[in-house]
Amino acid sequence: MNFDLSEEHELLRSTVRDFAEKRIAPVAEELDREHRFPYDIVAELAELGLMGIPIPEEHEGGGGDTLSYAIAVEELTRVDSSVAITVAAHTSLGTMPIFLYGNDEQKREWLPDLASGRRLAAFGLTEPEAGSDAGATRTTAELREGRWVVNGSKIFITNAGTDITACVTLTVRTGDDEVSNIIVPTGTEGYEISAPMRKMGWHASDTRELSFRDCAVPEANLLGERGAGYRQFLEILDGGRISIAAMGLGLAQGAYDLAAAYARERKQFGQPISKFQAIQFKLADMATEIEAGRGLVYKVAWLKDQGRPFGQAAAMAKLYTGELAHRVANQALQIHGGYGYMDEYAISRLYRDQKVLEIGEGTNEVQRLVIARHLGF
């Protein structure tokens, strides 16, 4: 077994880390405070080829593997979760369904702009009454005279309302026991997007509620086979959990880095607090758990790249790193003491941002259910 990253992976890490520290870190607090979507940063990420890493180059993607994608998301989250989730939701949830299930015409129409990052895509699954129970989808699409007429609503949808959003891939009920996926372009009549939702964290990320009232799109906008939507979104969620797991890993690493730096600088009783065993033990535990989390995330990325089953590993990685981010951010803030409670310190933002990692992309409770089913229970 060789745990060394390739030169290409190491180069990618250093490139993304350099960009995150020089370009994102100086404005992260301002973006968070102003709840402002980072259009200029997204454009620069697109120029670097980071908005579609796992999409083949023939579709104007990065042509990278899943491990490359996980490393990039990890490094972005280490500095700012809002930027990272913009990339992750666009890639894993918005673009990937079209790449995996779209026909040649749909791929030609949508992928070049999406995989290159010129436009963004959203994934419309969650509803007010259908979150963890995604099979309870109530939004409907009825086929009338060659057009799908959509009625219903979605909630907590990332990237749906930006100025560069091209479309949303919508999970809809097309029959009594039939769920399908349909592409709905932004600006379609009857498709309404709410004002940005106010959140505890991820302040610079775009999150909306979507409403559909007799919203008609061409029959050709059906994504994949009719009735295959349930299987499709389960596959998409398995892949998406890798990127969310990478976010948990990255946030934990970022929180640890902040705590370690602060512990070396902060002096009490005539010496840096890093000299006290109580602080050293916290940092040692944090570093150990982060290393374990990195092993889980990189392994599931490797499994996917090898074409092997990865659903159980994805749920495990997402579950562990979500809770890891919570534990590490909490201890990192504790090391900062009262200063950590002030918004002017970055650890305050990371502390707020971490909580949703235990909720989004399947709650921790759902992850445990998924793992148990894989174990045969």
Side-chain angles (χ1 to χ4, degrees):
M1 298 177 69
N2 182 1
F3 290 95
D4 291 331
L5 294 177
S6 68
E7 291 184 8
E8 291 79 7
H9 289 126
E10 291 287 8
L11 177 60
L12 175 69
R13 181 191 297 283
S14 63
T15 299
V16 179
R17 177 170 293 191
D18 184 68
F19 177 84
E21 291 180 345
K22 292 181 179 178
R23 185 65 184 88
I24 303 174
V27 298
E29 190 275 333
E30 177 183 323
L31 292 170
D32 179 80
R33 184 178 66 253
E34 297 179 357
H35 295 246
R36 176 159 52 88
F37 187 79
Y39 287 104
D40 51 349
I41 290 175
V42 171
E44 293 176 46
L45 287 168
E47 291 178 6
L48 289 172
L50 300 177
M51 294 300 293
I53 291 176
I55 306 297
E57 292 179 0
E58 64 184 279
H59 300 300
E60 297 195 32
D65 57 13
T66 308
L67 180 56
S68 298
Y69 175 47
I71 290 171
V73 172
E74 174 192 353
E75 289 299 326
L76 291 173
T77 316
R78 178 174 165 269
V79 171
D80 184 66
S81 293
S82 290
V83 171
I85 189 56
T86 299
V87 174
H90 164 71
T91 304
S92 295
L93 303 183
T95 305
M96 196 57 69
I98 298 175
F99 171 65
L100 292 178
Y101 313 121
N103 56 39
D104 290 342
E105 183 177 345
Q106 290 168 334
K107 290 180 180 179
R108 284 194 298 269
E109 179 180 359
W110 296 105
L111 287 183
D113 278 347
L114 298 180
S116 66
R118 292 189 293 268
R119 304 292 300 277
L120 296 179
F123 183 63
L125 174 62
T126 304
E127 298 183 1
E129 300 297 327
S132 296
D133 184 13
T137 295
R138 295 182 180 179
T139 298
T140 62
E142 181 182 353
L143 191 58
R144 302 179 194 168
E145 299 178 352
R147 297 174 71 81
W148 291 106
V149 181
V150 182
N151 284 281
S153 63
K154 301 289 182 177
I155 199 167
F156 312 138
I157 308 304
T158 304
N159 291 341
T162 76
D163 294 342
I164 56 175
T165 300
C167 63
V168 58
T169 302
L170 205 63
T171 300
V172 293
R173 191 165 294 281
T174 50
D176 290 340
D177 296 308
E178 183 179 85
V179 175
S180 305
N181 281 328
I182 292 175
I183 302 172
V184 179
T186 301
T188 302
E189 185 177 355
Y191 173 21
E192 298 181 2
I193 302 173
S194 76
M197 303 183 78
R198 305 288 287 187
K199 309 183 292 289
M200 174 190 292
W202 289 5
H203 286 170
S205 166
D206 181 80
T207 308
R208 310 279 183 145
E209 183 172 5
L210 314 180
S211 299
F212 303 88
R213 295 181 178 85
D214 291 330
C215 174
V217 298
E219 184 177 359
N221 282 28
L222 179 69
L223 194 58
E225 299 177 6
R226 177 171 176 169
Y230 191 80
R231 172 183 58 80
Q232 289 174 356
F233 77 64
L234 288 179
E235 292 176 355
I236 291 299
L237 291 177
D238 276 345
R241 284 169 186 149
I242 298 176
S243 60
I244 300 300
M247 287 190 66
L249 171 62
L251 192 145
Q253 184 67 62
Y256 169 84
D257 292 343
L258 291 172
Y262 183 84
R264 292 188 178 99
E265 296 170 0
R266 175 67 167 168
K267 292 185 177 180
Q268 291 284 275
F269 306 103
Q271 60 182 333
I273 63 173
S274 61
K275 297 297 183 181
F276 299 121
Q277 190 178 72
I279 302 301
Q280 292 175 351
F281 279 14
K282 288 181 186 295
L283 292 168
D285 287 344
M286 292 156 68
T288 300
E289 290 197 67
I290 289 168
E291 189 65 19
R294 185 166 286 112
L296 282 171
V297 173
Y298 288 11
K299 179 183 177 180
V300 68
W302 178 83
L303 286 172
K304 187 174 188 298
D305 286 333
Q306 296 298 312
R308 295 167 61 174
F310 65 93
Q312 175 180 317
M316 287 178 169
K318 194 272 179 187
L319 169 65
Y320 183 81
T321 61
E323 296 186 349
L324 167 68
H326 177 87
R327 291 191 296 270
V328 173
N330 184 56
Q331 291 298 330
L333 193 148
Q334 188 72 18
I335 289 173
H336 280 75
Y339 289 106
Y341 201 66
M342 302 296 109
D343 275 341
E344 63 195 82
Y345 279 75
I347 190 59
S348 170
R349 172 168 49 83
L350 269 63
Y351 185 85
R352 288 185 282 106
D353 285 343
Q354 57 79 25
K355 182 55 190 175
V356 72
L357 297 174
E358 299 179 277
I359 299 172
E361 202 73 38
T363 64
N364 288 16
E365 291 77 14
V366 166
Q367 302 312 310
R368 287 181 166 88
L369 181 62
V370 170
I371 294 166
R373 286 177 175 173
H374 276 288
L375 295 174
F377 300 113

